[in-house]
Amino acid sequence: MTTGPGRTRAARSVPPGPPRRATFGLLRKLFTDRLALMTTSAVYGDVVRIAIGPKSLYLVNHPDHAKHVLADNSANYHKGIGLQEARRALGDGLLTSDGETWRAQRKTIQPVFQHKRIAQQSTVVASEVDGLVGRLGARHRDGPVEILHEMTGLTLGVLGKTLLDAELGGFDSLGHSFEGVQDQAMFEAVTLGMVPGWLPLPKQLRFRESRDDLRQVADELVTRRSADPIEGGDDVLSRLITSAAQDPDPAAGRRRVRDELITLLLAGHETTASTLGWAFHLIDEHPEVAGRLHDEATEVLGDRLPVYEDLHRLTYTASVVEEVMRLYPPVWLLPRVAQADDEIAGFHIPAGSDVVVVPYTLHRHRDFWDDPEGFDPERFAASAAVRPRYAYIPFGAGPRFCVGNSLGMMEAVFVLAQVSRELRLTKVPGCPVVPEAMLSLRVRGGLPMNIHKY
């Protein structure tokens, strides 16, 4: 049995947690408000056992414990609840796979995210964002604009041109299809897999339609590139096709390319789009932040488009993005399954247990964050207090640290800088902004906003 730092092999104590009589309330929160479930459970301590019917979740909510699960003993913790269910649509892509399969996939894709290549893509990102600013500005007299829809279109466009060297503008159904996949994955997770997948329920029917659409998009991208290959192409699509061609089982190679493309399309756009949605919500709530963003963008950029080197000059803008991801981390839950018995902080974690690291609660831990519920970008300024490395993990941590973190951060900073220089976005009165904890943490029902020109 593996053990946590400084603990003995004999520990068998059970972590504290909500009492059994709270089961009904926990089930209700699991269905309706998963953030509240995690937040209220975290008050029991930094390691908590949440018993829900026949299943127990082990919540770890301390930087040291997150480090143990995600890094120090990561080999013992494979992908867990939610991601297991998403495998029906995503297959064995980088998001859902484990072991040698995951390592081989990571090795294939990693070079596309190297610093030098990402820096070279900065002009593409800036140009795409410039197009967004132009479209939003042209609609400033037309009434509210659905900002999440605009952010989804932008992030898909950026993903296509930077990572796939492909145009995704013709695949308008992608956002709808990913919603269908997420809805079903979370439904299966919260029902503990007890609802048969063959039942013709509305969610099931929508899921199957969504899955088929995503597969068709992936196959179409491969067909196009195979018919018109890019000589010496170093993008993800070219690398995946080259890797699959070396597979002794052609069918397996095609499946692997499809799984990886679908995963990349989801993970590569959804998290950044969600972060930007939360950013515009919070900026509108804090006019002083909006003013500082406008002033910094005007001073640093003037009337030109940003370049990669501007990331080191747009310091306040970067702090805003970091603070947004602290309060609303796009990946709000990091689920794992213990492969063997373990021990964390003296508590026994049985093999087969569902263990969850929850950035949403960890980022609000009062031992590591002053005014944890407040929005304060200054906490990420260069002069800010030093905190434990694993107190802030918006991109995950350990071997499975998000491979696209640099591209996502650059895209978010460029969007806030370029939009804030030209426009002011304000929420529509009477339209509540409510978080929805799915595979990513998104705004429920959309985010209509009015556009104002400076």
Side-chain angles (χ1 to χ4, degrees), residues 43 58 74 114 139 144 148 152 170 172 230 244 249 272 284 298 320 323 331 345 407 415:
V43 302
Y58 290 81
S74 62
Q114 289 178 348
R139 298 174 63 184
L148 289 186
T152 296
D172 297 331
I230 299 175
D249 183 349
T272 305
D284 180 45
T298 302
V320 170
E323 176 69 344
V331 181
L407 177 60
V415 169

Side-chain angles (χ1 to χ4, degrees), residues 353-426:
S353 297
D354 288 286
V355 178
V356 291
V357 179
V358 185
Y360 182 84
T361 57
L362 185 60
H363 291 180
R364 297 164 186 256
H365 198 303
R366 293 190 176 276
D367 287 353
F368 307 102
W369 304 96
D370 294 330
D371 185 21
E373 299 295 331
F375 179 62
D376 179 16
E378 287 296 332
R379 72 174 86 239
F380 285 97
S383 59
V386 177
R387 65 186 62 87
R389 160 70 183 83
Y390 283 77
Y392 181 69
I393 50 173
F395 295 106
R400 302 195 77 133
F401 185 77
C402 176
V403 70
N405 68 300
S406 296
L407 177 60
M409 190 67 186
M410 178 173 70
E411 186 176 359
V413 169
F414 280 13
V415 169
L416 293 195
Q418 290 175 252
V419 170
S420 296
R421 180 179 58 180
E422 309 290 339
L423 306 171
R424 177 84 166 88
L425 277 58
T426 59

